[in-house]
Amino acid sequence: MSLSRREWLKSASLFGGLTMLTGAATIGRLSAEEIEKFNPRPFNTPIRLGSNENPYGPSAIVRKAMMDNFDLGCRYPWVYNAPLREMIAKKEGVSPDHIVLVSGSTEGLKITGITYAGRGEEIISGLPTFLSMMEYAKIWGADINWVPLDKNMDYDLEEIEKRVSSKTKLVFLCNPNNPTGKLLPAQKVLDFCDTVSEKTIVFSDEAYYDYIEDPNYPSMVELVKKGKNVIVSRTLSKVYGLAGIRLGYLVAKPDIAAALNERVVANTNVMAIEAGKAALNDEEFYKFSLQKNLEARKMIESTLNQLDLEYLPSQANFVFFHAKQDVRKLAEIMAKKGVIIGRPFPPFNDWCRVSTGTLEEVAFFNKALLETLG
């Protein structure tokens, strides 16, 4: 199946999804032509709503920057790293020696795990969460101390702190958490990271930080600035739409950053560097992506309300909802209808994570879900 984006926008309202928005988020903000300015690709099935990608990217400005620098493809990337590192350092309010450039934040998680816990040491993490650090570190001999989420599906910070011992080399937090999309209370997580970082290193995965709706919510970079043993990971894969380009970074105090820089495996490529520089300056696309994500999320929530299905309050680009059946079964049904949804996240095997695609993709998902569960 292949429809132009304009054709789909004209027809999608038949499914009700594009007219269910509330508050400030309405499809009327942008015409089909304006949306195509950001993403002129056709709308195809199966649609990918299982990987938390931003389907509107890369922006036109980023694509142009990459094309303008194709001639640099014959050059090794480390010569070109410094300007991007300086841009990121300025953005985060630290000096460049606090920054580690990585090929997507996943590389940052993996090299941190094996640097500090790859010889039989311990990592403590909540479960379920984003697993890349822990799964990779286990291959190298790390011991993973899993702490189940509490009754509210939040990190059980009290229990995690109780389990910290001399063997613990890392404590991993993902905030907002993946797959729940939930955000820890600001002061509570600040106090936790401040206290626990006196005993071991705290890793704060902030891949979804840009989607947080509270403008005053603190990044744990604030603790890095105070010299705490805290590492923060950020990515350009989400709101900036560069998941396939592979670019992320870590923020840590200089001695930790230096140790991690020595272990970077894949030196970020030249095209990613140029894409990153352009993306960080593309304020229009950044705001557009946040707005479209909010609208898409409200569309999903509206359909879940219609189906009377429980879902968690999300501060990310996905929604975690109670499907009331094995999500593997639901995934098979939805795949036949042309929609790819998230994988199981044990022990919540009857909960489903669905990403916020384009508005027309979400309308297609809503229709399929209503047909399946309605």
Side-chain angles (χ1 to χ4, degrees):
M1 174 182 178
S2 178
L3 298 174
S4 75
R5 295 174 62 79
R6 189 179 287 108
E7 288 170 342
W8 176 248
L9 279 171
K10 288 178 179 177
S11 63
S13 60
L14 295 174
F15 303 146
L18 296 179
T19 58
M20 290 180 176
L21 307 181
T22 59
T26 61
I27 185 62
R29 285 178 176 270
L30 290 172
S31 67
E33 289 78 9
E34 288 172 316
I35 290 176
E36 286 188 12
K37 178 180 73 170
F38 290 98
N39 187 19
R41 295 183 294 274
F43 168 52
N44 298 313
T45 59
I47 58 174
R48 294 167 55 102
L49 300 182
S51 300
N52 304 342
E53 298 155 329
N54 177 0
Y56 294 106
S59 74
I61 289 175
V62 169
R63 293 197 298 270
K64 183 178 185 303
M66 295 174 67
M67 289 187 289
D68 287 348
N69 286 280
F70 274 164
D71 287 351
L72 297 180
C74 64
R75 304 300 179 187
Y76 287 112
W78 51 79
V79 178
Y80 303 94
N81 279 344
L84 177 58
R85 183 177 285 107
E86 290 170 4
M87 284 182 68
I88 293 171
K90 182 177 180 180
K91 173 179 179 290
E92 299 294 348
V94 297
S95 58
D97 58 355
H98 287 74
I99 305 300
V100 182
L101 293 178
V102 285
S103 296
S105 62
T106 297
E107 184 189 27
L109 272 67
K110 289 180 176 180
I111 64 171
T112 302
I114 63 172
T115 296
Y116 293 102
R119 297 171 298 277
E121 297 92 346
E122 178 182 77
I123 302 174
I124 301 179
S125 174
L127 188 70
T129 194
F130 189 57
L131 300 175
S132 286
M133 174 187 285
M134 284 67 71
E135 289 184 337
Y136 193 69
K138 279 177 65 177
I139 297 172
W140 295 84
D143 181 25
I144 313 302
N145 189 340
W146 297 111
V147 178
L149 301 184
D150 65 20
K151 62 182 180 181
N152 298 315
M153 289 192 180
D154 290 321
Y155 272 95
D156 189 339
L157 297 182
E158 290 80 6
E159 180 61 26
I160 291 174
E161 186 172 354
K162 287 179 185 176
R163 296 194 189 186
V164 174
S165 68
S166 58
K167 184 183 177 182
T168 308
K169 301 304 177 185
L170 283 171
V171 169
F172 176 83
L173 300 178
C174 183
N175 189 37
N177 192 22
N178 177 14
T180 67
K182 295 192 72 178
L183 189 64
L184 290 163
Q187 193 58 53
K188 186 174 182 179
V189 71
L190 268 173
D191 291 344
F192 171 86
C193 292
D194 192 7
T195 300
V196 174
S197 66
E198 295 297 322
K199 305 172 186 176
T200 190
I201 295 174
V202 178
F203 191 103
S204 179
D205 181 350
E206 297 182 2
Y208 302 96
Y209 183 83
D210 296 281
Y211 295 105
I212 297 173
E213 293 172 34
D214 179 357
N216 297 314
Y217 192 89
S219 167
M220 294 307 106
V221 170
E222 296 306 310
L223 295 180
V224 174
K225 294 176 184 177
K226 296 178 180 179
K228 300 292 184 177
N229 291 315
V230 174
I231 303 170
V232 176
S233 68
R234 303 290 290 273
T235 184
L236 279 73
S237 293
K238 306 304 178 185
V239 70
Y240 294 100
L242 301 183
I245 307 302
R246 310 312 298 138
L247 179 62
Y249 60 92
L250 306 176
V251 187
K253 62 182 185 177
D255 61 321
I256 293 177
L260 294 173
N261 266 311
E262 290 179 355
R263 290 163 175 80
V264 169
V265 177
N267 279 305
T268 307
N269 69 80
V270 172
M271 292 299 102
I273 291 169
E274 297 304 323
K277 288 159 60 179
L280 291 172
N281 283 323
D282 193 349
E283 188 69 19
E284 183 183 11
F285 179 76
Y286 181 85
K287 292 178 179 178
F288 169 86
S289 293
L290 292 178
Q291 177 64 26
K292 292 297 108 181
N293 177 71
L294 178 61
E295 293 177 15
R297 204 178 75 218
K298 287 182 177 293
M299 288 172 61
I300 294 169
E301 291 171 351
S302 180
T303 295
L304 296 176
N305 288 335
Q306 186 176 345
L307 291 168
D308 196 27
L309 294 176
E310 180 185 3
Y311 57 90
L312 301 183
S314 176
Q315 296 280 307
N317 64 340
F318 54 86
V319 178
F320 199 49
F321 70 92
H322 192 192
K324 298 183 179 179
Q325 61 179 275
D326 191 321
V327 73
R328 290 169 295 188
K329 177 182 177 182
L330 179 61
E332 289 178 5
I333 297 171
M334 295 294 284
K336 291 177 182 177
K337 292 179 176 292
V339 183
I340 299 172
I341 58 176
R343 62 189 182 278
F345 293 91
F348 304 119
N349 292 318
D350 57 351
W351 283 71
C352 175
R353 190 195 70 187
V354 59
S355 308
T356 55
T358 64
L359 300 184
E360 56 270 39
E361 287 173 346
V362 171
F364 189 92
F365 161 80
N366 285 346
K367 178 178 182 292
L369 193 68
L370 286 166
E371 290 173 349
T372 303
L373 300 181

mmCIF file of all heavy atoms in Angstrom, residues 24-25 39-40 54 56 78 85 98 102 115 161 212 232 235 243 252 256 264 282 306 313 316 318 325 329 349 367:
data_model
loop_
_atom_site.group_PDB
_atom_site.id
_atom_site.type_symbol
_atom_site.label_atom_id
_atom_site.label_comp_id
_atom_site.label_asym_id
_atom_site.label_seq_id
_atom_site.Cartn_x
_atom_site.Cartn_y
_atom_site.Cartn_z
ATOM 1 N N ALA A 24 -4.600 22.761 22.765
ATOM 2 C CA ALA A 24 -3.913 23.526 21.722
ATOM 3 C C ALA A 24 -3.495 22.665 20.546
ATOM 4 O O ALA A 24 -3.178 23.176 19.482
ATOM 5 C CB ALA A 24 -2.686 24.210 22.308
ATOM 6 N N ALA A 25 -3.469 21.350 20.720
ATOM 7 C CA ALA A 25 -2.945 20.471 19.668
ATOM 8 C C ALA A 25 -4.031 20.150 18.661
ATOM 9 O O ALA A 25 -4.933 19.385 18.934
ATOM 10 C CB ALA A 25 -2.418 19.181 20.290
ATOM 11 N N ASN A 39 8.624 16.521 5.593
ATOM 12 C CA ASN A 39 8.745 15.097 5.293
ATOM 13 C C ASN A 39 7.979 14.765 4.019
ATOM 14 O O ASN A 39 6.820 14.385 4.070
ATOM 15 C CB ASN A 39 8.206 14.265 6.464
ATOM 16 C CG ASN A 39 8.467 12.785 6.276
ATOM 17 O OD1 ASN A 39 9.327 12.407 5.493
ATOM 18 N ND2 ASN A 39 7.726 11.962 6.970
ATOM 19 N N PRO A 40 8.608 14.882 2.848
ATOM 20 C CA PRO A 40 7.902 14.675 1.586
ATOM 21 C C PRO A 40 7.772 13.219 1.181
ATOM 22 O O PRO A 40 7.278 12.932 0.113
ATOM 23 C CB PRO A 40 8.798 15.433 0.593
ATOM 24 C CG PRO A 40 10.173 15.288 1.174
ATOM 25 C CD PRO A 40 9.988 15.336 2.669
ATOM 26 N N ASN A 54 11.383 9.398 15.113
ATOM 27 C CA ASN A 54 10.705 10.613 14.660
ATOM 28 C C ASN A 54 10.629 10.549 13.134
ATOM 29 O O ASN A 54 11.613 10.824 12.449
ATOM 30 C CB ASN A 54 11.465 11.861 15.102
ATOM 31 C CG ASN A 54 10.838 13.147 14.578
ATOM 32 O OD1 ASN A 54 9.835 13.135 13.884
ATOM 33 N ND2 ASN A 54 11.451 14.275 14.908
ATOM 34 N N TYR A 56 9.467 12.381 10.897
ATOM 35 C CA TYR A 56 9.549 13.624 10.128
ATOM 36 C C TYR A 56 10.987 14.004 9.769
ATOM 37 O O TYR A 56 11.210 14.893 8.961
ATOM 38 C CB TYR A 56 8.909 14.772 10.910
ATOM 39 C CG TYR A 56 7.422 14.632 11.104
ATOM 40 C CD1 TYR A 56 6.892 14.275 12.342
ATOM 41 C CD2 TYR A 56 6.543 14.854 10.053
ATOM 42 C CE1 TYR A 56 5.522 14.149 12.524
ATOM 43 C CE2 TYR A 56 5.172 14.727 10.223
ATOM 44 C CZ TYR A 56 4.668 14.379 11.473
ATOM 45 O OH TYR A 56 3.315 14.247 11.644
ATOM 46 N N TRP A 78 37.722 12.448 13.168
ATOM 47 C CA TRP A 78 38.169 13.114 14.385
ATOM 48 C C TRP A 78 38.651 14.541 14.160
ATOM 49 O O TRP A 78 38.658 15.349 15.068
ATOM 50 C CB TRP A 78 39.240 12.274 15.096
ATOM 51 C CG TRP A 78 40.373 11.829 14.217
ATOM 52 C CD1 TRP A 78 41.447 12.548 13.807
ATOM 53 C CD2 TRP A 78 40.525 10.527 13.639
ATOM 54 N NE1 TRP A 78 42.262 11.788 13.017
ATOM 55 C CE2 TRP A 78 41.728 10.523 12.886
ATOM 56 C CE3 TRP A 78 39.779 9.346 13.684
ATOM 57 C CZ2 TRP A 78 42.187 9.408 12.187
ATOM 58 C CZ3 TRP A 78 40.230 8.244 12.988
ATOM 59 C CH2 TRP A 78 41.424 8.271 12.251
ATOM 60 N N ARG A 85 31.470 19.149 19.339
ATOM 61 C CA ARG A 85 31.637 19.005 20.783
ATOM 62 C C ARG A 85 31.461 20.355 21.483
ATOM 63 O O ARG A 85 30.839 20.446 22.547
ATOM 64 C CB ARG A 85 33.010 18.405 21.095
ATOM 65 C CG ARG A 85 33.229 18.145 22.584
ATOM 66 C CD ARG A 85 34.556 17.492 22.871
ATOM 67 N NE ARG A 85 34.565 16.083 22.500
ATOM 68 C CZ ARG A 85 35.207 15.584 21.451
ATOM 69 N NH1 ARG A 85 35.911 16.391 20.669
ATOM 70 N NH2 ARG A 85 35.164 14.293 21.195
ATOM 71 N N HIS A 98 33.861 17.839 29.023
ATOM 72 C CA HIS A 98 32.787 17.070 29.662
ATOM 73 C C HIS A 98 32.025 16.200 28.660
ATOM 74 O O HIS A 98 31.150 15.428 29.069
ATOM 75 C CB HIS A 98 31.770 18.004 30.323
ATOM 76 C CG HIS A 98 32.232 18.675 31.568
ATOM 77 N ND1 HIS A 98 33.137 19.710 31.591
ATOM 78 C CD2 HIS A 98 31.889 18.458 32.875
ATOM 79 C CE1 HIS A 98 33.331 20.115 32.829
ATOM 80 N NE2 HIS A 98 32.598 19.372 33.633
ATOM 81 N N VAL A 102 29.312 9.975 20.627
ATOM 82 C CA VAL A 102 29.130 8.548 20.369
ATOM 83 C C VAL A 102 28.181 8.346 19.200
ATOM 84 O O VAL A 102 27.418 9.237 18.830
ATOM 85 C CB VAL A 102 28.588 7.809 21.622
ATOM 86 C CG1 VAL A 102 29.675 7.636 22.660
ATOM 87 C CG2 VAL A 102 27.396 8.552 22.224
ATOM 88 N N THR A 115 33.066 -0.381 30.742
ATOM 89 C CA THR A 115 34.160 0.348 31.396
ATOM 90 C C THR A 115 34.123 0.150 32.901
ATOM 91 O O THR A 115 35.161 -0.077 33.543
ATOM 92 C CB THR A 115 34.080 1.855 31.075
ATOM 93 O OG1 THR A 115 34.267 2.047 29.671
ATOM 94 C CG2 THR A 115 35.148 2.638 31.823
ATOM 95 N N GLU A 161 18.476 2.218 46.203
ATOM 96 C CA GLU A 161 19.490 2.774 47.106
ATOM 97 C C GLU A 161 19.887 1.772 48.187
ATOM 98 O O GLU A 161 21.061 1.664 48.552
ATOM 99 C CB GLU A 161 18.976 4.067 47.733
ATOM 100 C CG GLU A 161 20.024 4.777 48.573
ATOM 101 C CD GLU A 161 19.581 6.153 49.036
ATOM 102 O OE1 GLU A 161 18.500 6.625 48.621
ATOM 103 O OE2 GLU A 161 20.341 6.768 49.825
ATOM 104 N N ILE A 212 9.876 16.279 27.650
ATOM 105 C CA ILE A 212 9.316 16.625 28.958
ATOM 106 C C ILE A 212 8.584 17.954 28.847
ATOM 107 O O ILE A 212 9.135 18.950 28.359
ATOM 108 C CB ILE A 212 10.420 16.691 30.028
ATOM 109 C CG1 ILE A 212 11.071 15.316 30.191
ATOM 110 C CG2 ILE A 212 9.848 17.168 31.357
ATOM 111 C CD1 ILE A 212 12.281 15.316 31.110
ATOM 112 N N VAL A 232 25.373 11.498 32.090
ATOM 113 C CA VAL A 232 24.098 11.728 31.414
ATOM 114 C C VAL A 232 24.254 11.392 29.944
ATOM 115 O O VAL A 232 25.232 11.810 29.301
ATOM 116 C CB VAL A 232 23.638 13.190 31.574
ATOM 117 C CG1 VAL A 232 22.347 13.439 30.790
ATOM 118 C CG2 VAL A 232 23.443 13.532 33.052
ATOM 119 N N THR A 235 20.588 11.997 23.090
ATOM 120 C CA THR A 235 20.628 11.485 21.719
ATOM 121 C C THR A 235 19.998 12.467 20.753
ATOM 122 O O THR A 235 19.130 13.259 21.137
ATOM 123 C CB THR A 235 19.903 10.135 21.621
ATOM 124 O OG1 THR A 235 20.034 9.615 20.300
ATOM 125 C CG2 THR A 235 18.429 10.263 21.959
ATOM 126 N N ALA A 243 17.752 9.026 13.968
ATOM 127 C CA ALA A 243 17.987 7.663 14.456
ATOM 128 C C ALA A 243 18.869 6.860 13.504
ATOM 129 O O ALA A 243 19.708 6.074 13.940
ATOM 130 C CB ALA A 243 16.657 6.942 14.677
ATOM 131 N N ALA A 252 29.714 14.148 31.346
ATOM 132 C CA ALA A 252 30.266 13.662 32.607
ATOM 133 C C ALA A 252 31.424 14.575 33.008
ATOM 134 O O ALA A 252 31.965 15.316 32.178
ATOM 135 C CB ALA A 252 30.751 12.225 32.475
ATOM 136 N N ILE A 256 35.908 11.287 34.149
ATOM 137 C CA ILE A 256 35.051 10.211 33.657
ATOM 138 C C ILE A 256 34.928 10.295 32.140
ATOM 139 O O ILE A 256 35.020 9.278 31.433
ATOM 140 C CB ILE A 256 33.661 10.261 34.328
ATOM 141 C CG1 ILE A 256 33.777 9.931 35.817
ATOM 142 C CG2 ILE A 256 32.692 9.312 33.639
ATOM 143 C CD1 ILE A 256 32.460 10.023 36.580
ATOM 144 N N VAL A 264 35.579 4.746 23.204
ATOM 145 C CA VAL A 264 34.663 4.915 22.073
ATOM 146 C C VAL A 264 35.105 3.998 20.937
ATOM 147 O O VAL A 264 36.280 3.963 20.565
ATOM 148 C CB VAL A 264 34.636 6.388 21.613
ATOM 149 C CG1 VAL A 264 33.909 6.511 20.278
ATOM 150 C CG2 VAL A 264 33.952 7.252 22.675
ATOM 151 N N ASP A 282 18.560 23.968 14.084
ATOM 152 C CA ASP A 282 17.277 23.989 13.370
ATOM 153 C C ASP A 282 16.125 24.069 14.383
ATOM 154 O O ASP A 282 15.435 23.086 14.652
ATOM 155 C CB ASP A 282 17.154 22.742 12.495
ATOM 156 C CG ASP A 282 16.001 22.846 11.499
ATOM 157 O OD1 ASP A 282 15.191 23.773 11.621
ATOM 158 O OD2 ASP A 282 15.931 21.979 10.602
ATOM 159 N N GLN A 306 -11.534 5.850 24.200
ATOM 160 C CA GLN A 306 -12.713 5.308 23.534
ATOM 161 C C GLN A 306 -12.847 3.809 23.785
ATOM 162 O O GLN A 306 -13.963 3.286 23.943
ATOM 163 C CB GLN A 306 -12.625 5.594 22.035
ATOM 164 C CG GLN A 306 -13.856 5.215 21.239
ATOM 165 C CD GLN A 306 -13.725 5.612 19.775
ATOM 166 O OE1 GLN A 306 -12.850 6.397 19.404
ATOM 167 N NE2 GLN A 306 -14.595 5.069 18.939
ATOM 168 N N PRO A 313 0.706 8.056 31.916
ATOM 169 C CA PRO A 313 0.988 9.422 31.455
ATOM 170 C C PRO A 313 2.387 9.501 30.867
ATOM 171 O O PRO A 313 3.373 9.276 31.558
ATOM 172 C CB PRO A 313 0.865 10.258 32.731
ATOM 173 C CG PRO A 313 1.144 9.289 33.851
ATOM 174 C CD PRO A 313 0.604 7.968 33.385
ATOM 175 N N ALA A 316 7.122 11.241 26.645
ATOM 176 C CA ALA A 316 8.036 10.743 25.615
ATOM 177 C C ALA A 316 7.307 10.712 24.281
ATOM 178 O O ALA A 316 6.244 11.312 24.122
ATOM 179 C CB ALA A 316 8.555 9.360 26.004
ATOM 180 N N PHE A 318 5.988 8.024 22.840
ATOM 181 C CA PHE A 318 5.265 6.754 22.790
ATOM 182 C C PHE A 318 4.270 6.723 23.935
ATOM 183 O O PHE A 318 4.328 7.542 24.862
ATOM 184 C CB PHE A 318 6.224 5.562 22.894
ATOM 185 C CG PHE A 318 7.131 5.607 24.098
ATOM 186 C CD1 PHE A 318 6.708 5.110 25.330
ATOM 187 C CD2 PHE A 318 8.404 6.150 24.017
ATOM 188 C CE1 PHE A 318 7.532 5.146 26.443
ATOM 189 C CE2 PHE A 318 9.239 6.194 25.125
ATOM 190 C CZ PHE A 318 8.796 5.695 26.338
ATOM 191 N N GLN A 325 -4.186 -8.374 26.777
ATOM 192 C CA GLN A 325 -3.871 -9.637 26.120
ATOM 193 C C GLN A 325 -2.376 -9.672 25.867
ATOM 194 O O GLN A 325 -1.696 -8.650 25.954
ATOM 195 C CB GLN A 325 -4.620 -9.783 24.795
ATOM 196 C CG GLN A 325 -4.295 -8.705 23.781
ATOM 197 C CD GLN A 325 -5.061 -8.919 22.474
ATOM 198 O OE1 GLN A 325 -4.619 -9.675 21.603
ATOM 199 N NE2 GLN A 325 -6.214 -8.273 22.356
ATOM 200 N N LYS A 329 0.537 -11.539 20.680
ATOM 201 C CA LYS A 329 -0.654 -11.852 19.890
ATOM 202 C C LYS A 329 -1.189 -10.595 19.218
ATOM 203 O O LYS A 329 -1.536 -10.605 18.026
ATOM 204 C CB LYS A 329 -1.723 -12.479 20.788
ATOM 205 C CG LYS A 329 -3.030 -12.789 20.077
ATOM 206 C CD LYS A 329 -4.066 -13.366 21.039
ATOM 207 C CE LYS A 329 -5.389 -13.606 20.335
ATOM 208 N NZ LYS A 329 -6.428 -14.124 21.288
ATOM 209 N N ASN A 349 3.625 -8.213 30.151
ATOM 210 C CA ASN A 349 3.468 -8.808 28.820
ATOM 211 C C ASN A 349 2.122 -8.518 28.180
ATOM 212 O O ASN A 349 1.935 -8.792 26.993
ATOM 213 C CB ASN A 349 3.689 -10.320 28.898
ATOM 214 C CG ASN A 349 5.127 -10.671 29.225
ATOM 215 O OD1 ASN A 349 6.057 -10.066 28.695
ATOM 216 N ND2 ASN A 349 5.320 -11.633 30.122
ATOM 217 N N LYS A 367 -7.407 3.327 13.644
ATOM 218 C CA LYS A 367 -8.415 2.556 12.932
ATOM 219 C C LYS A 367 -8.189 1.053 13.117
ATOM 220 O O LYS A 367 -9.116 0.297 13.420
ATOM 221 C CB LYS A 367 -8.412 2.907 11.447
ATOM 222 C CG LYS A 367 -9.412 2.105 10.596
ATOM 223 C CD LYS A 367 -9.352 2.562 9.153
ATOM 224 C CE LYS A 367 -10.374 1.795 8.294
ATOM 225 N NZ LYS A 367 -10.030 0.364 8.155
#
